[in-house]
Amino acid sequence: MSAPVPITFYVKFQELNDQNRFAYLLELAENGAKHVVLTSPLLARIIGEPDLLGKVCDELKTVGMSFLDTHAPYGPHWDLNSPFESERPALTARLKTALEIAASLGQNTMTIHMGTDLMAPELPAQVHFDRACAMLDSILPTAERLGITLCLENGMIRNYRTGTLLAMLEKFRSDYLGFCFDSGHANVMDNGRYFDECSAKKNWARLNDGEPEWETMAEKMEKMLPYAVNCHLHDNNGIDDQHTLPGRGTIDWALVTAALRKAPRLRVIQSEVDPLKNHIAVSELVQTFDRIFQ
């Protein structure tokens, strides 16, 4: 691979059994891939089935690959702003365990979700922000001790607006907190359609806090990439979060790759393309990422 930083590939481990998982990893390796992501579903499963980690690591070693980056489990029972107050002590413990697992593999980045406010739209944006910050306050010292940078990912809901994420960076000012720039999410938000549909569905009031409720891809990159440590790269039609191959959607990849090359903190480029869902050959997947980052 000829990328300026290493490329890692998303594997849908939750849809692979013991037999076809090894075959899929072997196919990735034979096509030139060197690294895969310790994905959210796999990490959540490993927390409950510790022996699985060794099994997958042995398979990766056999085919000459390794884990390179980690994505924390996500969802309302995992996100930083989880609305389930009684669960938050247990969530803190689970996230610290996830960090320990990542560290045991030599990982130094973990993408994490602030969390959607669709679960509790009646709560003010400030409450969601405060909940997320309280959880970061609990787990960031563990990440710092382990040398893992937590990467806040941009999403498609109002509390994922760039200004909100930047405010979290400003609050903590830690070298172990940064961003994961997600190209697909940014493209869907480029025209605000997803946000507007959610607003109508949940009857959200406009925030009127002076920050745009959605922004263009170029605007988001300009704000996020100085702090981006990781990135999730995939394409879509600007309407649905399709996770398809670069070039099959509406993203301007010349713009994105040029901007990424200038990102001062970027450590890893992650393909978050879903080949199984989108019927993409492994050879085409690996070759596309090799080509666009030459």
Side-chain angles (χ1 to χ4, degrees), residues 21-76:
R21 182 177 65 230
F22 180 78
Y24 187 79
L25 293 175
L26 180 61
E27 186 177 6
L28 271 172
E30 288 178 339
N31 280 280
K34 300 297 183 184
H35 309 287
V36 296
V37 183
L38 179 54
T39 61
S40 306
L42 180 60
L43 181 53
R45 186 178 167 194
I46 287 169
I47 290 174
E49 303 175 47
D51 291 345
L52 179 62
L53 179 60
K55 183 183 295 187
V56 178
C57 285
D58 286 346
E59 292 172 354
L60 288 170
K61 184 177 180 181
T62 299
V63 302
M65 297 177 68
S66 63
F67 289 117
L68 184 63
D69 59 331
T70 302
H71 196 309
Y74 62 89

Side-chain angles (χ1 to χ4, degrees), residues 24 37 108 130 133 142 178 211 213 216 228 232 242 265 274 286:
Y24 187 79
V37 183
N108 61 19
D130 291 342
C133 288
T142 300
E211 183 188 347
E213 294 189 330
T216 67
H232 292 168
Q242 297 167 309
R265 295 182 62 187
D274 186 342
V286 178

Side-chain angles (χ1 to χ4, degrees), residues 2 10 48 57 69 76 120 159 197 264:
S2 55
Y10 167 83
C57 285
D69 59 331
N159 57 318
E197 288 177 352

Side-chain angles (χ1 to χ4, degrees), residues 39-149:
T39 61
S40 306
L42 180 60
L43 181 53
R45 186 178 167 194
I46 287 169
I47 290 174
E49 303 175 47
D51 291 345
L52 179 62
L53 179 60
K55 183 183 295 187
V56 178
C57 285
D58 286 346
E59 292 172 354
L60 288 170
K61 184 177 180 181
T62 299
V63 302
M65 297 177 68
S66 63
F67 289 117
L68 184 63
D69 59 331
T70 302
H71 196 309
Y74 62 89
H77 297 279
W78 282 98
D79 293 338
L80 296 175
N81 74 332
S82 174
F84 306 106
E85 190 63 38
S86 64
E87 294 183 11
R88 287 175 68 83
L91 172 56
T92 302
R94 293 199 305 271
L95 289 174
K96 288 181 178 180
T97 298
L99 285 164
E100 295 283 357
I101 291 170
S104 75
L105 296 171
Q107 311 293 283
N108 61 19
T109 73
M110 178 180 283
T111 299
I112 196 162
H113 287 191
M114 174 182 173
T116 173
D117 56 356
L118 287 176
M119 286 297 297
E122 71 282 0
L123 296 177
Q126 186 64 45
V127 172
H128 287 284
F129 180 84
D130 291 342
R131 283 176 177 268
C133 288
M135 186 58 67
L136 272 180
D137 200 41
S138 297
I139 66 172
L140 188 55
T142 300
E144 292 172 338
R145 173 176 61 82
L146 296 172
I148 296 176
T149 300

Side-chain angles (χ1 to χ4, degrees), residues 12 62 64 169 171 181 184 255 262 270 277:
K12 214 165 188 177
T62 299
L169 292 193
K171 180 177 178 65
F181 171 72
L255 174 70
K262 299 176 183 178
Q270 181 190 132
K277 172 185 175 182

